[in-house]
Amino acid sequence: MSTVKLSEGTVTVDLCGGTPLFYRQGEPGAGEPRLSVLLLHGIRFSSENWLNIGTLETLAKAGCRTVAVDLPGLGQSKAASAPVAVGELAPGAFLQQVCEALKLGPVVVVSPSLSGMYSLPFLFQHAPLLKAYVPIAPICTDKFIAQQYASVQTPTLIVYGDQDTQLGELSLSNLKHLPNHRVVVMKGAGHPCYLEDPETWHKALLDFLQML
């Protein structure tokens, strides 16, 4: 079985006023990483959830350098500017700065729920920096029009739980305008579907990453 290296750290970005953001990282034990993956999170969650359900370890074993960041004002990044303050400033530029500071290169962004306020502007403003996009019932999909979605060629895996009849279905109705997408509906799962069924989530994600 391949070994992985798990670590923790902080990264400083200008848009958070120089206050460090906390992150967790999983890396393959040997060899160059095949992909870089950035894991975001919802409002009641943090990078710790990705550690607890094994996503950091699973992706590292699959050859990916995987970083799970605590968003501003949440998790262990509580001292950083609140998400709304950063959001008003430039949420797309915020994720660009995070990726640059962590040297993530073209990155796969996994974005559940609240983190859509950052990942969607990043997708539209900085598409060349995205290797792929994995939205999980994100917020803010209704802030963009069908033509904007249609102009983005980034490979996308849309994930949601079939019990998430609000954000899941709303986000799908907008995200399906992305031309290069596939959809995974997790049966019997609610809004945080990846937490409720990590095994199905990991299989869907690994299958998608294998195609990149």
Side-chain angles (χ1 to χ4, degrees):
M1 184 178 288
S2 58
T3 57
V4 303
K5 190 166 71 175
L6 296 175
S7 59
E8 298 178 356
T10 58
V11 63
T12 303
V13 299
D14 293 342
L15 283 175
C16 289
T19 307
L21 295 172
F22 178 82
Y23 69 87
R24 291 178 164 87
Q25 180 169 252
E27 298 173 279
E32 284 295 307
R34 191 175 73 81
L35 288 169
S36 295
V37 181
L38 178 63
L39 302 171
L40 306 178
H41 62 83
I43 193 164
R44 292 184 292 114
F45 304 111
S46 71
S47 62
E48 187 175 7
N49 296 98
W50 297 119
L51 178 69
N52 291 344
I53 66 169
T55 304
L56 281 166
E57 187 173 2
T58 298
L59 292 180
K61 282 181 179 173
C64 302
R65 180 189 170 203
T66 309
V67 177
V69 67
D70 282 1
L71 291 168
L74 300 169
Q76 294 188 48
S77 298
K78 278 196 168 61
S81 308
V84 174
V86 173
E88 288 166 353
L89 223 51
F94 163 71
L95 279 191
Q96 178 193 17
Q97 288 186 359
V98 168
C99 290
E100 286 175 353
L102 289 165
K103 297 182 170 58
L104 287 174
V107 67
V108 179
V109 174
V110 176
S111 177
S113 199
L114 167 94
S115 65
M117 68 185 283
Y118 300 105
S119 67
L120 284 160
F122 184 58
L123 176 71
F124 291 114
Q125 295 164 13
H126 304 285
L129 301 180
L130 269 98
K131 180 86 173 174
Y133 184 46
V134 185
I136 312 170
I139 67 169
C140 295
T141 60
D142 53 349
K143 293 188 184 301
F144 304 92
I145 60 173
Q147 290 91 323
Q148 286 175 286
Y149 285 105
S151 69
V152 175
Q153 295 299 319
T154 305
T156 300
L157 177 68
I158 301 167
V159 181
Y160 72 101
D162 67 354
Q163 303 303 303
D164 185 6
T165 53
Q166 294 180 322
L167 260 177
E169 293 178 5
L170 170 66
S171 60
L172 175 65
S173 69
N174 295 308
L175 292 166
K176 69 183 181 185
H177 295 294
L178 289 164
N180 190 5
H181 80 266
R182 55 191 300 200
V183 180
V184 169
V185 183
M186 292 178 56
K187 304 295 183 193
H191 185 52
C193 54
Y194 54 97
L195 290 178
E196 294 176 15
D197 187 355
E199 188 177 345
T200 300
W201 153 245
H202 289 147
K203 183 180 185 319
L205 181 59
L206 290 172
D207 287 349
F208 175 68
L209 296 180
Q210 202 62 44
M211 295 164 42
L212 299 177

Short mmCIF file of all heavy atoms in Angstrom, two decimals, residues 45-98:
data_model
loop_
_atom_site.label_atom_id
_atom_site.label_comp_id
_atom_site.label_asym_id
_atom_site.label_seq_id
_atom_site.Cartn_x
_atom_site.Cartn_y
_atom_site.Cartn_z
N PHE A 45 -18.60 23.68 8.35
CA PHE A 45 -17.55 22.68 8.25
C PHE A 45 -16.17 23.32 8.15
O PHE A 45 -16.04 24.53 8.24
CB PHE A 45 -17.83 21.77 7.04
CG PHE A 45 -19.20 21.13 7.11
CD1 PHE A 45 -20.19 21.50 6.22
CD2 PHE A 45 -19.49 20.19 8.08
CE1 PHE A 45 -21.47 20.94 6.29
CE2 PHE A 45 -20.76 19.62 8.15
CZ PHE A 45 -21.74 19.99 7.25
N SER A 46 -15.15 22.50 7.96
CA SER A 46 -13.78 22.99 7.85
C SER A 46 -12.92 21.92 7.19
O SER A 46 -13.41 20.85 6.81
CB SER A 46 -13.22 23.31 9.25
OG SER A 46 -12.98 22.10 9.96
N SER A 47 -11.64 22.18 7.08
CA SER A 47 -10.71 21.20 6.50
C SER A 47 -10.70 19.89 7.30
O SER A 47 -10.38 18.83 6.77
CB SER A 47 -9.30 21.78 6.45
OG SER A 47 -8.82 22.07 7.76
N GLU A 48 -11.06 19.98 8.58
CA GLU A 48 -11.05 18.79 9.43
C GLU A 48 -11.99 17.70 8.90
O GLU A 48 -11.72 16.51 9.04
CB GLU A 48 -11.45 19.17 10.87
CG GLU A 48 -11.30 18.01 11.84
CD GLU A 48 -11.58 18.43 13.27
OE1 GLU A 48 -12.02 19.58 13.50
OE2 GLU A 48 -11.36 17.60 14.18
N ASN A 49 -13.11 18.12 8.28
CA ASN A 49 -14.05 17.13 7.74
C ASN A 49 -13.41 16.28 6.65
O ASN A 49 -13.63 15.07 6.58
CB ASN A 49 -15.29 17.83 7.19
CG ASN A 49 -16.07 18.56 8.28
OD1 ASN A 49 -15.91 19.76 8.44
ND2 ASN A 49 -16.89 17.84 9.03
N TRP A 50 -12.60 16.91 5.80
CA TRP A 50 -11.92 16.17 4.73
C TRP A 50 -10.90 15.19 5.30
O TRP A 50 -10.68 14.11 4.74
CB TRP A 50 -11.24 17.14 3.77
CG TRP A 50 -12.17 18.05 3.04
CD1 TRP A 50 -12.20 19.42 3.09
CD2 TRP A 50 -13.21 17.69 2.12
NE1 TRP A 50 -13.18 19.92 2.29
CE2 TRP A 50 -13.82 18.88 1.67
CE3 TRP A 50 -13.69 16.46 1.63
CZ2 TRP A 50 -14.87 18.89 0.75
CZ3 TRP A 50 -14.74 16.47 0.72
CH2 TRP A 50 -15.32 17.67 0.29
N LEU A 51 -10.29 15.59 6.42
CA LEU A 51 -9.36 14.67 7.09
C LEU A 51 -10.13 13.49 7.68
O LEU A 51 -9.75 12.33 7.49
CB LEU A 51 -8.61 15.42 8.20
CG LEU A 51 -7.64 14.59 9.04
CD1 LEU A 51 -6.43 14.17 8.22
CD2 LEU A 51 -7.19 15.39 10.27
N ASN A 52 -11.23 13.79 8.37
CA ASN A 52 -11.98 12.75 9.08
C ASN A 52 -12.61 11.71 8.16
O ASN A 52 -12.68 10.53 8.52
CB ASN A 52 -13.07 13.39 9.96
CG ASN A 52 -12.48 14.16 11.14
OD1 ASN A 52 -11.30 13.98 11.48
ND2 ASN A 52 -13.27 15.01 11.76
N ILE A 53 -13.08 12.13 6.98
CA ILE A 53 -13.71 11.14 6.09
C ILE A 53 -12.69 10.49 5.15
O ILE A 53 -13.04 9.63 4.35
CB ILE A 53 -14.88 11.73 5.29
CG1 ILE A 53 -14.41 12.79 4.29
CG2 ILE A 53 -15.97 12.27 6.20
CD1 ILE A 53 -15.49 13.21 3.29
N GLY A 54 -11.42 10.90 5.26
CA GLY A 54 -10.37 10.23 4.52
C GLY A 54 -10.09 10.76 3.12
O GLY A 54 -9.34 10.13 2.37
N THR A 55 -10.67 11.91 2.77
CA THR A 55 -10.46 12.42 1.41
C THR A 55 -9.01 12.83 1.18
O THR A 55 -8.44 12.56 0.11
CB THR A 55 -11.40 13.61 1.12
OG1 THR A 55 -12.76 13.20 1.34
CG2 THR A 55 -11.27 14.08 -0.32
N LEU A 56 -8.38 13.47 2.15
CA LEU A 56 -6.97 13.86 2.01
C LEU A 56 -6.10 12.63 1.76
O LEU A 56 -5.27 12.62 0.84
CB LEU A 56 -6.49 14.59 3.27
CG LEU A 56 -6.89 16.06 3.41
CD1 LEU A 56 -6.65 16.55 4.83
CD2 LEU A 56 -6.12 16.92 2.42
N GLU A 57 -6.31 11.58 2.55
CA GLU A 57 -5.50 10.37 2.41
C GLU A 57 -5.82 9.64 1.11
O GLU A 57 -4.91 9.18 0.40
CB GLU A 57 -5.75 9.46 3.61
CG GLU A 57 -4.83 8.26 3.64
CD GLU A 57 -4.98 7.44 4.92
OE1 GLU A 57 -5.84 7.80 5.77
OE2 GLU A 57 -4.25 6.46 5.06
N THR A 58 -7.10 9.54 0.77
CA THR A 58 -7.52 8.84 -0.44
C THR A 58 -6.91 9.47 -1.69
O THR A 58 -6.39 8.77 -2.57
CB THR A 58 -9.07 8.84 -0.56
OG1 THR A 58 -9.61 8.14 0.54
CG2 THR A 58 -9.52 8.17 -1.84
N LEU A 59 -6.95 10.80 -1.77
CA LEU A 59 -6.41 11.48 -2.95
C LEU A 59 -4.89 11.42 -2.98
O LEU A 59 -4.29 11.29 -4.06
CB LEU A 59 -6.90 12.93 -2.99
CG LEU A 59 -8.40 13.12 -3.25
CD1 LEU A 59 -8.75 14.60 -3.26
CD2 LEU A 59 -8.81 12.48 -4.56
N ALA A 60 -4.26 11.51 -1.81
CA ALA A 60 -2.79 11.40 -1.76
C ALA A 60 -2.35 10.02 -2.24
O ALA A 60 -1.38 9.87 -2.98
CB ALA A 60 -2.29 11.68 -0.36
N LYS A 61 -3.07 8.98 -1.82
CA LYS A 61 -2.76 7.62 -2.28
C LYS A 61 -2.93 7.48 -3.78
O LYS A 61 -2.27 6.65 -4.42
CB LYS A 61 -3.64 6.60 -1.55
CG LYS A 61 -3.20 6.28 -0.14
CD LYS A 61 -4.11 5.25 0.50
CE LYS A 61 -3.63 4.93 1.91
NZ LYS A 61 -4.60 4.06 2.62
N ALA A 62 -3.82 8.28 -4.35
CA ALA A 62 -4.06 8.25 -5.80
C ALA A 62 -3.06 9.13 -6.56
O ALA A 62 -3.21 9.34 -7.76
CB ALA A 62 -5.48 8.69 -6.10
N GLY A 63 -2.07 9.67 -5.84
CA GLY A 63 -1.02 10.45 -6.49
C GLY A 63 -1.28 11.93 -6.59
O GLY A 63 -0.62 12.63 -7.37
N CYS A 64 -2.22 12.45 -5.80
CA CYS A 64 -2.56 13.88 -5.85
C CYS A 64 -1.99 14.62 -4.65
O CYS A 64 -2.07 14.14 -3.52
CB CYS A 64 -4.08 14.07 -5.86
SG CYS A 64 -4.92 13.26 -7.22
N ARG A 65 -1.45 15.79 -4.89
CA ARG A 65 -1.16 16.71 -3.79
C ARG A 65 -2.47 17.40 -3.46
O ARG A 65 -3.08 18.07 -4.31
CB ARG A 65 -0.12 17.75 -4.19
CG ARG A 65 0.18 18.71 -3.05
CD ARG A 65 1.03 19.88 -3.47
NE ARG A 65 1.07 20.86 -2.40
CZ ARG A 65 1.35 22.15 -2.57
NH1 ARG A 65 1.63 22.62 -3.77
NH2 ARG A 65 1.35 22.98 -1.54
N THR A 66 -2.94 17.24 -2.24
CA THR A 66 -4.29 17.69 -1.87
C THR A 66 -4.21 18.64 -0.69
O THR A 66 -3.65 18.31 0.36
CB THR A 66 -5.17 16.48 -1.51
OG1 THR A 66 -5.10 15.52 -2.57
CG2 THR A 66 -6.61 16.91 -1.33
N VAL A 67 -4.77 19.84 -0.86
CA VAL A 67 -4.77 20.85 0.19
C VAL A 67 -6.21 21.19 0.56
O VAL A 67 -7.02 21.52 -0.31
CB VAL A 67 -4.03 22.13 -0.26
CG1 VAL A 67 -4.12 23.20 0.83
CG2 VAL A 67 -2.57 21.83 -0.59
N ALA A 68 -6.53 21.09 1.85
CA ALA A 68 -7.84 21.48 2.37
C ALA A 68 -7.65 22.73 3.21
O ALA A 68 -6.97 22.69 4.24
CB ALA A 68 -8.44 20.35 3.21
N VAL A 69 -8.21 23.83 2.76
CA VAL A 69 -8.00 25.11 3.44
C VAL A 69 -9.21 25.44 4.30
O VAL A 69 -10.34 25.10 3.96
CB VAL A 69 -7.70 26.22 2.41
CG1 VAL A 69 -8.92 26.51 1.55
CG2 VAL A 69 -7.19 27.49 3.07
N ASP A 70 -8.97 26.08 5.45
CA ASP A 70 -10.06 26.64 6.25
C ASP A 70 -10.34 28.05 5.72
O ASP A 70 -9.45 28.91 5.73
CB ASP A 70 -9.67 26.72 7.74
CG ASP A 70 -9.78 25.37 8.44
OD1 ASP A 70 -10.14 24.38 7.79
OD2 ASP A 70 -9.49 25.32 9.66
N LEU A 71 -11.54 28.28 5.24
CA LEU A 71 -11.88 29.56 4.64
C LEU A 71 -11.88 30.69 5.68
O LEU A 71 -12.03 30.43 6.89
CB LEU A 71 -13.25 29.46 3.96
CG LEU A 71 -13.26 28.58 2.70
CD1 LEU A 71 -14.70 28.29 2.27
CD2 LEU A 71 -12.47 29.24 1.57
N PRO A 72 -11.72 31.93 5.25
CA PRO A 72 -11.64 33.06 6.18
C PRO A 72 -12.81 33.10 7.16
O PRO A 72 -13.97 32.98 6.75
CB PRO A 72 -11.65 34.28 5.26
CG PRO A 72 -11.15 33.77 3.96
CD PRO A 72 -11.60 32.35 3.85
N GLY A 73 -12.49 33.26 8.43
CA GLY A 73 -13.52 33.37 9.47
C GLY A 73 -14.07 32.05 9.95
O GLY A 73 -14.92 32.01 10.83
N LEU A 74 -13.58 30.93 9.39
CA LEU A 74 -14.11 29.61 9.73
C LEU A 74 -12.98 28.65 10.13
O LEU A 74 -11.82 28.89 9.81
CB LEU A 74 -14.89 29.03 8.54
CG LEU A 74 -16.10 29.87 8.07
CD1 LEU A 74 -16.62 29.37 6.74
CD2 LEU A 74 -17.20 29.87 9.12
N GLY A 75 -13.35 27.57 10.83
CA GLY A 75 -12.35 26.58 11.24
C GLY A 75 -11.24 27.22 12.04
O GLY A 75 -11.49 28.03 12.93
N GLN A 76 -9.99 26.90 11.69
CA GLN A 76 -8.84 27.49 12.38
C GLN A 76 -8.34 28.76 11.68
O GLN A 76 -7.24 29.24 11.97
CB GLN A 76 -7.72 26.45 12.49
CG GLN A 76 -8.10 25.27 13.40
CD GLN A 76 -6.92 24.35 13.68
OE1 GLN A 76 -5.83 24.79 14.03
NE2 GLN A 76 -7.14 23.05 13.53
N SER A 77 -9.15 29.28 10.76
CA SER A 77 -8.84 30.57 10.12
C SER A 77 -9.76 31.67 10.64
O SER A 77 -10.05 32.65 9.96
CB SER A 77 -8.99 30.47 8.59
OG SER A 77 -8.09 29.54 8.05
N LYS A 78 -10.24 31.48 11.88
CA LYS A 78 -11.23 32.42 12.44
C LYS A 78 -10.73 33.85 12.51
O LYS A 78 -11.50 34.80 12.43
CB LYS A 78 -11.67 31.95 13.83
CG LYS A 78 -12.74 30.87 13.79
CD LYS A 78 -13.41 30.73 15.16
CE LYS A 78 -14.66 29.88 15.08
NZ LYS A 78 -14.42 28.51 14.62
N ALA A 79 -9.41 34.02 12.70
CA ALA A 79 -8.86 35.37 12.85
C ALA A 79 -8.83 36.12 11.52
O ALA A 79 -8.75 37.34 11.49
CB ALA A 79 -7.46 35.31 13.42
N ALA A 80 -8.90 35.39 10.41
CA ALA A 80 -8.85 36.04 9.10
C ALA A 80 -10.16 36.78 8.83
O ALA A 80 -11.19 36.50 9.43
CB ALA A 80 -8.60 35.01 8.01
N SER A 81 -10.12 37.73 7.90
CA SER A 81 -11.30 38.51 7.55
C SER A 81 -12.47 37.59 7.24
O SER A 81 -12.30 36.55 6.62
CB SER A 81 -11.00 39.36 6.31
OG SER A 81 -9.83 40.11 6.49
N ALA A 82 -13.65 37.98 7.67
CA ALA A 82 -14.84 37.16 7.45
C ALA A 82 -15.08 36.96 5.96
O ALA A 82 -14.70 37.80 5.15
CB ALA A 82 -16.05 37.84 8.09
N PRO A 83 -15.71 35.84 5.59
CA PRO A 83 -15.94 35.56 4.17
C PRO A 83 -16.63 36.68 3.41
O PRO A 83 -16.30 36.95 2.28
CB PRO A 83 -16.82 34.30 4.20
CG PRO A 83 -16.52 33.65 5.49
CD PRO A 83 -16.20 34.76 6.44
N VAL A 84 -17.59 37.35 4.08
CA VAL A 84 -18.32 38.40 3.38
C VAL A 84 -17.38 39.54 3.00
O VAL A 84 -17.43 40.07 1.90
CB VAL A 84 -19.48 38.93 4.25
CG1 VAL A 84 -20.15 40.12 3.59
CG2 VAL A 84 -20.50 37.84 4.49
N ALA A 85 -16.47 39.88 3.91
CA ALA A 85 -15.52 40.97 3.62
C ALA A 85 -14.65 40.61 2.42
O ALA A 85 -14.45 41.41 1.52
CB ALA A 85 -14.65 41.24 4.85
N VAL A 86 -14.15 39.38 2.41
CA VAL A 86 -13.34 38.94 1.27
C VAL A 86 -14.21 38.86 0.03
O VAL A 86 -13.81 39.25 -1.06
CB VAL A 86 -12.69 37.57 1.56
CG1 VAL A 86 -11.99 37.05 0.32
CG2 VAL A 86 -11.69 37.69 2.70
N GLY A 87 -15.45 38.38 0.22
CA GLY A 87 -16.35 38.22 -0.91
C GLY A 87 -16.63 39.54 -1.60
O GLY A 87 -16.66 39.62 -2.82
N GLU A 88 -16.79 40.60 -0.81
CA GLU A 88 -17.06 41.91 -1.39
C GLU A 88 -15.83 42.42 -2.13
O GLU A 88 -15.93 43.12 -3.12
CB GLU A 88 -17.46 42.90 -0.30
CG GLU A 88 -18.85 42.65 0.26
CD GLU A 88 -19.09 43.41 1.55
OE1 GLU A 88 -18.14 44.01 2.06
OE2 GLU A 88 -20.23 43.37 2.04
N LEU A 89 -14.67 42.04 -1.63
CA LEU A 89 -13.43 42.52 -2.22
C LEU A 89 -13.20 41.87 -3.58
O LEU A 89 -13.20 42.52 -4.60
CB LEU A 89 -12.27 42.18 -1.27
CG LEU A 89 -11.21 43.24 -1.04
CD1 LEU A 89 -11.85 44.56 -0.68
CD2 LEU A 89 -10.27 42.80 0.07
N ALA A 90 -13.00 40.57 -3.59
CA ALA A 90 -12.72 39.87 -4.85
C ALA A 90 -12.54 38.38 -4.57
O ALA A 90 -11.43 37.92 -4.42
CB ALA A 90 -11.46 40.44 -5.48
N PRO A 91 -13.65 37.65 -4.50
CA PRO A 91 -13.55 36.24 -4.13
C PRO A 91 -12.76 35.40 -5.12
O PRO A 91 -12.06 34.47 -4.73
CB PRO A 91 -15.01 35.77 -4.06
CG PRO A 91 -15.80 36.82 -4.76
CD PRO A 91 -15.04 38.09 -4.64
N GLY A 92 -12.84 35.75 -6.41
CA GLY A 92 -12.06 35.01 -7.39
C GLY A 92 -10.57 35.24 -7.20
O GLY A 92 -9.76 34.31 -7.27
N ALA A 93 -10.22 36.48 -6.94
CA ALA A 93 -8.80 36.82 -6.70
C ALA A 93 -8.30 36.19 -5.41
O ALA A 93 -7.12 35.84 -5.30
CB ALA A 93 -8.63 38.33 -6.66
N PHE A 94 -9.18 36.03 -4.43
CA PHE A 94 -8.80 35.38 -3.17
C PHE A 94 -8.30 33.96 -3.43
O PHE A 94 -7.22 33.56 -2.99
CB PHE A 94 -9.99 35.37 -2.21
CG PHE A 94 -9.84 34.39 -1.07
CD1 PHE A 94 -8.93 34.62 -0.05
CD2 PHE A 94 -10.60 33.23 -1.03
CE1 PHE A 94 -8.78 33.72 0.99
CE2 PHE A 94 -10.46 32.32 0.01
CZ PHE A 94 -9.55 32.57 1.02
N LEU A 95 -9.07 33.16 -4.18
CA LEU A 95 -8.63 31.79 -4.47
C LEU A 95 -7.40 31.78 -5.36
O LEU A 95 -6.55 30.90 -5.23
CB LEU A 95 -9.76 30.99 -5.12
CG LEU A 95 -10.81 30.40 -4.20
CD1 LEU A 95 -11.69 29.40 -4.95
CD2 LEU A 95 -10.19 29.72 -2.98
N GLN A 96 -7.29 32.76 -6.25
CA GLN A 96 -6.08 32.85 -7.07
C GLN A 96 -4.86 33.03 -6.17
O GLN A 96 -3.82 32.37 -6.35
CB GLN A 96 -6.19 34.03 -8.04
CG GLN A 96 -4.94 34.23 -8.91
CD GLN A 96 -4.93 35.56 -9.63
OE1 GLN A 96 -5.68 36.48 -9.27
NE2 GLN A 96 -4.09 35.69 -10.62
N GLN A 97 -4.97 33.91 -5.16
CA GLN A 97 -3.86 34.15 -4.25
C GLN A 97 -3.54 32.91 -3.42
O GLN A 97 -2.36 32.61 -3.17
CB GLN A 97 -4.18 35.33 -3.32
CG GLN A 97 -4.15 36.68 -4.02
CD GLN A 97 -4.34 37.83 -3.05
OE1 GLN A 97 -4.51 37.65 -1.85
NE2 GLN A 97 -4.31 39.05 -3.58
N VAL A 98 -4.57 32.18 -3.00
CA VAL A 98 -4.35 30.95 -2.24
C VAL A 98 -3.57 29.94 -3.08
O VAL A 98 -2.58 29.35 -2.62
CB VAL A 98 -5.70 30.33 -1.78
CG1 VAL A 98 -5.50 28.92 -1.24
CG2 VAL A 98 -6.35 31.22 -0.71
#
